[in-house]
Amino acid sequence: MDFELSEEQKMVKEAAADFAKNTLLPKAQEFDEKEEIPTEIYQQLADLGYLGMLLPEEYGGSNLDFVSYICAMEEFAKASAALMISISVHNSLICDAILNFGTPEQKKKYLPLLASGKIIGAYSLTEPGAGTDAGSLRTTAILQGDHYLMNGTKAFVTNGGIAGLFMVFVLTKPELKSKGISCLLVEKGTLGMSIGVKEKKMGLKGSDTRELSFADCKVPRANLLGQENNGFKVALSLLNSGRVGVGAQCVGIAQAAYEEALKYSKERVQFGQPICNFQAIAFKLADMVTQIDAARLLVYRAAHLKSTGKKCNIEASMAKLFSSEVANRVVNEAVQIHGGYGYMKEYAVERYFRDARVTEIYEGTSEAQRIVISRELLKD
Ligand SMILES: Cc1cc2nc3c(=O)[nH]c(=O)nc-3n(C[C@H](O)[C@H](O)[C@H](O)COP(=O)(O)OP(=O)(O)OC[C@H]3O[C@@H](n4cnc5c(N)ncnc54)[C@H](O)[C@@H]3O)c2cc1C
């Protein structure tokens, strides 16, 4: 059993850590306060190959393996979880879906634009009435000649306000319910499409989350991604990447919170000595680092399975479930170690605490992950 990253994977992790530390971390608080990430940051990411990480070079991509990608995502999340989720949706949901399901024309048209950062991608499955039960979505797209006529509302779209291309899941045969779902590529500015106001969130404030609505929105038939009425398969095929990606985000947030707590516990003096000398605090640090290590191993295992083309549904769910719960426990303890200062915006742990909360909710709630895992166990 080999727990070592390859030389290439180590290099990707180190380069991402450098970029995150030098470019993202100094601005992370500002992303949070201003509730946006400046476009120059996306251009810098594109120039360094971080917007086409999983794409082949022929489309302008960096052609990285999935483990390298996950290592980079962990490092980015350590600096800014908001930036990380934005580019993880772009890379592992949009770019990867078009690469795997797109027609040659769709790949040629969209992948170079995505890899070069000329457009950012968004993924839109959730609706106001269809979250965990995503198969019950109600947005329709009825074929009329050479275009689909789309009507409905989508919720919580990450990158909603900055994306140029949206992958939207719709019902093309409403009578077939989840078996009548298709995926359409919808360009920003398509007539009949409206983008809502930016959601005010608890955390990940730099990431842009919006509602989308479609009123007789005309989408060319050529923008169908994958086969008609097979869209739920496209959505399901992306679940593992999304879940392992959120797992990496959790490890990154937790590691950052732990490091802040460790540093603070050595500096803060009470009763004439640093608080790390108190066993109550030292044991918290021991528990934090142990849990983070276990979460990281689960995330890397799932990433390795995915990278080598092996089945990893249960492992991806375990990694997402465990690491999201670890992240929330760790950020809570990091705030506790900071005492009252941890409740103040001046200290980074306040942001980590808010950013971690959503990881137990999106990409499948913790309850949904337990359903996936237990179903697998009880299958026979
Ligand atoms: C910041 C943010 C960004 C997001 N980005 C995107 C995005 O880019 N694209 C996208 O499509 N979606 C996105 N989402 C949506 C996200 O995936 C959903 O919020 C999530 O799937 C949960 O759906 P819901 O909010 O409707 O909750 P619900 O499904 O209504 O769940 C409410 C509660 O009921 C529980 N529950 C539901 N069903 C069951 C069951 N069968 N058994 C036990 N418990 C159950 C849930 O676990 C949860 O605790 C985002 C959400 C957030 C908050």
Side-chain angles (χ1 to χ4, degrees):
M1 199 179 287
D2 188 359
F3 289 101
E4 278 290 302
L5 295 172
S6 71
E7 282 312 308
E8 191 195 338
Q9 290 160 349
K10 277 186 205 159
M11 271 168 56
V12 172
K13 193 167 175 16
E14 278 162 26
D18 275 353
F19 180 74
K21 191 172 160 212
N22 299 321
T23 309
L24 301 179
L25 188 59
K27 300 199 173 100
Q29 199 66 18
E30 197 180 314
F31 300 164
D32 189 68
E33 277 161 18
K34 295 196 170 154
E35 304 199 5
E36 67 176 12
I37 297 167
T39 43
E40 309 88 78
I41 296 283
Y42 287 95
Q43 201 43 60
Q44 273 179 288
L45 288 161
D47 294 344
L48 292 167
Y50 290 125
L51 295 187
M53 296 175 79
L54 299 166
L55 294 176
E57 283 162 19
E58 62 175 302
Y59 299 115
S62 308
N63 205 21
L64 294 180
D65 70 288
F66 194 72
V67 174
S68 298
Y69 161 76
I70 282 300
C71 289
M73 290 300 111
E74 177 190 336
E75 295 300 334
F76 287 173
K78 205 176 150 193
S80 167
L83 180 281
M84 178 274 173
I85 199 61
S86 168
I87 64 167
S88 124
V89 165
H90 171 95
N91 275 291
S92 81
L93 301 185
I94 319 308
C95 293
D96 215 35
I98 298 178
L99 182 67
N100 289 313
F101 294 96
T103 61
E105 293 74 28
Q106 289 169 345
K107 291 185 202 180
K108 209 168 140 206
K109 180 173 179 189
Y110 293 121
L111 293 180
L113 293 175
L114 289 160
S116 63
K118 291 201 173 65
I119 54 171
I120 299 294
Y123 171 94
S124 178
L125 174 66
T126 306
E127 295 187 357
T132 304
D133 183 14
S136 70
L137 64 87
R138 289 167 64 179
T139 298
T140 53
I142 306 304
L143 192 59
Q144 294 197 339
D146 62 355
H147 64 263
Y148 289 95
L149 204 61
M150 215 169 133
N151 282 286
T153 304
K154 292 285 177 182
F156 301 141
V157 184
T158 299
N159 293 341
I162 61 167
L165 188 67
F166 298 79
M167 260 178 81
V168 187
F169 291 87
V170 291
L171 277 174
T172 36
K173 262 223 179 318
E175 63 277 20
L176 293 182
K177 302 197 169 141
S178 70
K179 293 200 173 74
I181 293 175
S182 302
C183 180
L184 297 181
L185 295 173
V186 184
E187 293 181 15
K188 183 180 177 175
T190 305
L191 220 61
M193 171 185 186
S194 335
I195 301 174
V197 294
K198 203 188 283 183
E199 300 285 359
K200 289 267 173 202
K201 304 195 295 290
M202 174 194 294
L204 299 186
K205 285 173 178 278
S207 83
D208 187 306
T209 314
R210 306 206 184 205
E211 190 173 273
L212 301 179
S213 47
F214 303 97
D216 287 341
C217 175
K218 273 170 95 171
V219 179
R221 189 177 190 175
N223 283 23
L224 174 72
L225 183 68
Q227 287 174 357
E228 202 175 48
N229 303 321
N230 222 2
F232 212 46
K233 254 199 183 149
V234 177
L236 294 179
S237 78
L238 301 171
L239 282 183
N240 290 338
S241 318
R243 287 175 180 167
V244 185
V246 172
Q249 182 182 41
C250 296
V251 174
I253 298 172
Q255 181 70 33
Y258 160 74
E259 287 178 15
E260 286 297 314
L262 177 68
K263 184 161 68 114
Y264 186 83
S265 73
K266 289 180 182 168
E267 289 163 4
R268 176 68 174 169
V269 173
Q270 289 291 282
F271 300 96
Q273 54 186 312
I275 59 169
C276 64
N277 285 358
F278 303 126
Q279 197 180 56
I281 300 295
F283 279 14
K284 280 189 201 301
L285 293 167
D287 285 343
M288 287 158 92
V289 83
T290 305
Q291 293 179 71
I292 296 167
D293 213 22
R296 185 178 286 111
L297 287 172
L298 280 181
V299 170
Y300 283 16
R301 178 184 67 170
H304 174 70
L305 290 172
K306 183 162 165 43
S307 207
T308 47
K310 299 201 179 100
K311 196 167 174 264
C312 63
N313 298 10
I314 193 164
E315 291 83 359
S317 274
M318 284 171 160
K320 199 269 176 183
L321 170 65
F322 187 76
S323 59
S324 60
E325 295 190 351
V326 163
N328 278 283
R329 281 198 295 273
V330 167
V331 294
N332 192 44
E333 290 293 47
V335 169
Q336 195 67 21
I337 289 173
H338 280 70
Y341 295 100
Y343 202 67
M344 302 296 145
K345 288 204 174 285
E346 208 183 320
Y347 286 81
V349 290
E350 185 270 345
R351 172 166 56 88
Y352 303 144
F353 184 86
R354 288 183 287 105
D355 284 351
R357 187 62 188 89
V358 75
T359 63
E360 289 186 75
I361 297 170
Y362 63 15
E363 281 296 336
T365 62
S366 289
E367 290 78 10
Q369 305 306 335
R370 288 190 166 90
I371 293 173
V372 172
I373 298 164
S374 59
R375 249 193 216 144
E376 196 77 18
L377 302 177
L378 302 169
K379 216 157 64 181
D380 298 325

